[in-house]
Amino acid sequence: MGQQDKEEANGKPVKYDPSFRGPIKNRGCTDIICCVLFLLFILGYIVVGLVAWVYGDPRQVLYPRNSTGAYCGLGENKDKPYLLYFNIFSCILATNVITAVTNGLQCPTSQVCVSSCPESAWTVEVNQLSETVGQVFYSANRSFCLPGVPSTMRVLESLEKELCPSFLLPSAPALGRCLPWSNSTPPELPGITGNISQGISGLLDSLNTRDISVKIFEDLAQSWYWILICLCIALVLSLLFILLLRLVAGPLVLVLILGVLGVLAYGIYHCWEEYRVLRDRGASISQLGFTTNLSAYQSVQETWLAALIILAVLEGILLLMLIFLRQRIRIAIALLQEASKAVGHMMSTMFYPLVTFVLLLICIAYWAMMALYLATSGQPQYVLWAPNTSLPECANVSVNASCDPLVQPVTSCPGLMCVFQGYSSTGLVQRSLFNLQIYGVLGLFWTINWVLALGECVLAGAFASFYWAFHKPRDIPTFPLSAAFIRTLHYHTGSLAFGALILTLVQIARVILEYIDHKLRGAQNPMARCIMCCFKCCLWCLEKFIKFLNRNAYIMIAIYGKNFCVSAKNAFMLLMRNIVRVVVLDKVTDLLLFFGKLLVVGGVGVFSFFFFSGRIQGLGKEFENPSLNYYWLPIMISILGAYIIASGFFSVFGMCVDTLFLCFLEDLERNDGSLDRPYYMSKGLLQILGKKNKTPPGDKKRKK
């Protein structure tokens, strides 16, 4: 009775179907409503992108603006790509570095577009104040005044109106701005006191990245060839590791398990030694009491006793699992070997992650451009500004009033000018900007999850065709990956969109929760932080479960062609009927793939470190390491690239293992080894399970 209730709770085993021969070819479209909804959403996503392109102006992010709002490097300033601040000190006196950067490096001082930055320090002398602008600036090739300043104007008048700079510092272009060199000595400036030199030095150290960027580009130019070689080594190592698993999967898993047991055993020994020493000293937690200094607990015997007990329990559990689950571990190893054979017969699957990468790149690039254009939509606004509004001459001036940048105000207020303030927030697009950005974020998550779902379903279809080929490799389709790709796009776009939408809603909920936690972090009490942490943990677990469910649902969709809900239910019930095998295979696969990534990334990292740091001698001039400013840069790029390559290869292998595992479970329930219902699994799996296929009387030598 109990066994019957368990079977009803986890669903009934799959029945034999004589027409089933692997992924069903005659199938229909699934989840049509969700497919239509997804296509309409994509259409709206494109419309939002077009609206953003029409109303947006990303030039304000890509190009600096002068005081009149004109772009440097475009239009009439095409030959003047750099922005010069008349008084760079006002940036420091007015705001901090972070605020200056987030505001586009806008400072309360006149700004002018220039063709080149000043190369030497210069200050207006007292005897030059009575001279003309043409004599002091234009004749000396100092074209740093605002456009339209007449050469006959007195220098004193131009300085009072901030039409020309009172000093120049040796500068270099950084982020399109002329920023002084960090090692330059500012001239003595009247009216500016305090520790300005250190302040500007700190600003320039943060923003002036010209020297570092040049050195980085030089290093990349010198080492790109060797970086590609390191990435090729990572590719070869990943491929060899997967292909050789058919030979070394068993010994490798055994070595890894013994390694884990050895690490736990050493941990037990170390904890015992620490506990024994502290016990002899009489160091007890009763003497320490309660403290927030966690490191203090390392000096009491109870800490090491607790660690000793935990490690001993883990060691005992692992040993018991090895004893009682050894048969299932052998099945997991056999499935890993079978997955290695499947990848060897369908090598094109190893490079499918490139397709996924390109599609993901398109999704992210489209969203980034759309968000940039939306953020810069609106008409530019200009307002009146004066450096010192407390002067009597500026009493009747309406500061911050709208103005025309082409017509500079004529007034007695010193330094009054029409400057760019920002973009207007009026208009239909600007009023709906927040909603459009939310729509874009939803589109980003949904399209990314759909692309990932497409990759999983396509690979599952290809690997399922391998398992359900009775005579391998003769019965494997000619182009299994292409057939699975076309079949998935043709029939199951809606099912993939359904699963991706569920995952997207959970991920957006997590993002909202993280945003709320970030905003309220300073005002929270311990109870609120605990509740927030619980909510975040629950959503994280929910996301992991949905990813697991979606992954197996896509496998069932690829095989049977049913809708998402039915496929998810069938996959979940099938896994629940074999929950112990699921856990064992999952952990063995995770351990093996972790070791594989460690081997590939660690091998490439060690090789690149010894090569780029010059520790490998005697290779000859052709293989001599390049001379670099920062040898860690190509090392980090090589390690990151190796990790991405290994993750791509091993994700394919992991999908292969999961697909073959579901097919294996269905094979056990669907067939019994008779002539009419033979098993499709390999001979190794049949031998482990103690099963075999019956052969016809006249064909005893028949082989799979």
Side-chain angles (χ1 to χ4, degrees):
M1 187 69 179
Q3 182 68 21
Q4 184 179 358
D5 294 340
K6 181 180 178 182
E7 290 181 357
E8 292 179 356
N10 296 331
K12 297 181 180 180
V14 182
K15 295 182 179 180
Y16 172 70
D17 182 4
S19 63
F20 180 74
R21 293 292 185 272
I24 297 175
K25 296 180 175 57
N26 297 325
R27 57 179 73 192
C29 296
T30 56
D31 296 301
I32 298 177
I33 296 178
C34 198
C35 179
V36 174
L37 179 64
F38 181 66
L39 294 178
L40 290 176
F41 181 88
I42 294 298
L43 182 62
Y45 199 35
I46 295 174
V47 171
V48 172
L50 293 176
V51 170
W53 181 74
V54 170
Y55 290 95
D57 185 14
R59 293 178 299 176
Q60 65 165 315
V61 177
L62 303 176
Y63 299 94
R65 281 176 173 268
N66 62 11
S67 296
T68 62
Y71 295 107
C72 298
L74 294 177
E76 60 182 9
N77 295 322
K78 183 178 181 180
D79 298 330
K80 300 177 180 180
Y82 308 120
L83 184 70
L84 176 69
Y85 298 96
F86 279 11
N87 185 6
I88 191 69
F89 300 109
S90 62
C91 303
I92 305 167
L93 296 175
T95 184
N96 56 40
V97 176
I98 302 300
T99 305
V101 175
T102 54
N103 290 335
L105 300 184
Q106 295 291 331
C107 302
T109 184
S110 298
Q111 303 158 36
V112 62
C113 298
V114 296
S115 57
S116 60
C117 298
E119 298 179 354
S120 58
W122 174 82
T123 307
V124 176
E125 303 292 340
V126 177
N127 57 357
Q128 294 177 327
L129 296 177
S130 59
E131 299 180 10
T132 63
V133 172
Q135 294 173 331
V136 176
F137 289 94
Y138 298 154
S139 62
N141 198 24
R142 299 189 187 98
S143 302
F144 301 118
C145 295
L146 294 178
V149 177
S151 58
T152 57
M153 178 181 289
R154 297 294 178 183
V155 173
L156 179 60
E157 183 182 357
S158 68
L159 297 183
E160 290 176 347
K161 296 181 178 181
E162 287 203 19
L163 301 177
C164 295
S166 59
F167 65 92
L168 299 174
L169 296 175
S171 308
L175 304 177
R177 278 86 175 169
C178 292
L179 298 179
W181 297 344
S182 57
N183 58 355
S184 62
T185 303
E188 296 294 333
L189 301 172
I192 297 181
T193 59
N195 206 1
I196 298 299
S197 179
Q198 287 78 0
I200 193 172
S201 178
L203 174 65
L204 299 175
D205 288 340
S206 302
L207 300 179
N208 189 4
T209 59
R210 176 178 179 273
D211 294 338
I212 297 177
S213 61
V214 169
K215 291 179 180 179
I216 288 176
F217 282 117
E218 289 177 353
D219 288 347
L220 292 178
Q222 291 286 336
S223 60
W224 69 269
Y225 179 78
W226 298 107
I227 293 175
L228 288 181
I229 291 179
C230 290
L231 297 182
C232 290
I233 293 175
L235 188 147
V236 173
L237 286 177
S238 301
L239 194 58
L240 285 178
F241 181 83
I242 292 175
L243 295 179
L244 291 177
L245 279 180
R246 69 181 72 178
L247 303 176
V248 299
L252 188 57
V253 170
L254 180 61
V255 169
L256 291 176
I257 293 176
L258 292 178
V260 174
L261 287 173
V263 171
L264 290 176
Y266 174 77
I268 293 173
Y269 167 77
H270 180 75
C271 291
W272 166 254
E273 289 294 323
E274 293 288 341
Y275 169 72
R276 184 177 58 82
V277 172
L278 293 174
R279 183 192 61 185
D280 295 340
R281 293 179 182 174
S284 175
I285 195 172
S286 59
Q287 300 174 354
L288 177 65
F290 177 77
T291 177
T292 57
N293 184 13
L294 299 181
S295 60
Y297 289 102
Q298 297 179 2
S299 59
V300 296
Q301 56 178 321
E302 286 82 1
T303 302
W304 295 102
L305 180 60
L308 173 65
I309 295 173
I310 293 173
L311 292 179
V313 170
L314 291 177
E315 184 89 353
I317 292 175
L318 188 56
L319 287 173
L320 291 176
M321 289 176 60
L322 290 177
I323 295 173
F324 293 102
L325 301 179
R326 61 186 184 278
Q327 185 76 355
R328 288 178 171 82
I329 293 176
R330 292 179 62 195
I331 295 175
I333 294 173
L335 282 172
L336 291 172
Q337 293 172 336
E338 194 71 8
S340 178
K341 294 179 183 178
V343 170
H345 286 296
M346 294 182 290
M347 291 294 295
S348 58
T349 57
M350 299 304 298
F351 299 96
Y352 183 81
L354 293 177
V355 178
T356 302
F357 175 77
V358 171
L359 293 177
L360 290 177
L361 193 63
I362 292 173
C363 294
I364 296 173
Y366 178 82
W367 171 80
M369 293 301 297
M370 185 193 70
L372 177 62
Y373 273 85
L374 282 177
T376 56
S377 61
Q379 296 296 322
Q381 292 181 321
Y382 302 89
V383 296
L384 293 175
W385 174 83
N388 189 359
T389 57
S390 61
L391 296 176
E393 296 86 348
C394 302
N396 297 326
V397 176
S398 299
V399 181
N400 294 328
S402 300
C403 60
D404 186 356
L406 300 179
V407 180
Q408 289 295 333
V410 179
T411 179
S412 59
C413 180
L416 183 68
M417 60 179 60
C418 187
V419 298
F420 172 74
Q421 184 188 43
Y423 283 86
S424 63
S425 58
T426 59
L428 179 61
V429 176
Q430 288 71 38
R431 289 195 300 268
S432 306
L433 183 60
F434 179 77
N435 296 330
L436 294 177
Q437 291 285 19
I438 294 297
Y439 190 92
V441 172
L442 178 62
L444 173 67
F445 279 93
W446 199 359
T447 52
I448 285 179
N449 288 324
W450 185 87
V451 168
L452 295 176
L454 175 66
E456 292 180 347
C457 196
V458 169
L459 291 174
F463 292 126
S465 65
F466 168 84
Y467 185 92
W468 296 110
F470 191 78
H471 298 283
K472 301 178 180 66
R474 189 180 68 189
D475 293 344
I476 300 176
T478 307
F479 300 105
L481 186 65
S482 302
F485 184 82
I486 296 173
R487 189 166 58 240
T488 303
L489 277 182
H490 188 190
Y491 296 108
H492 306 303
T493 297
S495 297
L496 302 183
F498 191 9
L501 178 61
I502 297 174
L503 182 59
T504 296
L505 295 178
V506 176
Q507 291 175 338
I508 289 181
R510 287 193 65 195
V511 171
I512 295 174
L513 201 62
E514 290 287 347
Y515 176 78
I516 295 175
D517 182 44
H518 176 73
K519 287 295 184 181
L520 302 180
R521 185 167 296 172
Q524 286 177 352
N525 55 35
M527 180 60 69
R529 285 199 298 269
C530 180
I531 295 175
M532 184 65 69
C533 184
C534 291
F535 275 122
K536 290 163 66 175
C537 181
C538 291
L539 284 178
W540 180 84
C541 294
L542 179 61
E543 181 182 355
K544 291 296 180 182
F545 174 74
I546 290 177
K547 284 183 177 180
F548 171 79
L549 188 63
N550 285 3
R551 184 181 181 91
N552 291 282
Y554 298 146
I555 296 175
M556 302 299 281
I557 290 172
I559 299 174
Y560 297 104
K562 297 182 179 179
N563 62 50
F564 177 82
C565 293
V566 173
S567 299
K569 175 188 173 183
N570 293 339
F572 183 74
M573 293 302 179
L574 180 62
L575 294 174
M576 290 303 295
R577 292 195 294 269
N578 302 270
I579 188 62
V580 178
R581 286 173 175 166
V582 172
V583 174
V584 172
L585 178 70
D586 183 64
K587 296 310 170 187
V588 170
T589 304
D590 288 346
L591 182 64
L592 197 62
L593 295 185
F594 172 76
F595 176 77
K597 288 183 182 180
L598 190 64
L599 178 66
V600 174
V601 177
V604 171
V606 170
F607 171 77
S608 60
F609 171 76
F610 279 95
F611 177 77
F612 289 114
S613 61
R615 287 173 168 80
I616 302 179
Q617 304 294 334
L619 297 179
K621 291 186 177 180
E622 294 182 357
F623 299 98
E624 186 177 359
N625 65 295
S627 179
L628 303 173
N629 297 296
Y630 310 109
Y631 71 85
W632 50 263
L633 179 66
I635 295 175
M636 295 302 297
I637 295 177
S638 300
I639 292 175
L640 179 62
Y643 177 79
I644 294 175
I645 291 174
S647 298
F649 274 85
F650 293 150
S651 66
V652 174
F653 184 75
M655 194 66 201
C656 181
V657 173
D658 292 342
T659 303
L660 297 185
F661 180 57
L662 280 183
C663 294
F664 164 74
L665 297 179
E666 289 233 347
D667 194 10
L668 284 176
E669 295 184 352
R670 185 184 293 275
N671 303 309
D672 58 6
S674 62
L675 293 178
D676 296 330
R677 300 166 59 183
Y679 290 113
Y680 283 78
M681 66 186 72
S682 65
K683 290 183 178 180
L685 284 170
L686 286 172
Q687 185 177 2
I688 293 172
L689 294 173
K691 300 178 183 294
K692 62 180 180 179
N693 284 328
K694 295 181 180 180
T695 56
D699 192 19
K700 292 185 178 181
K701 294 184 178 180
R702 178 183 177 186
K703 295 183 180 179
K704 289 179 64 176

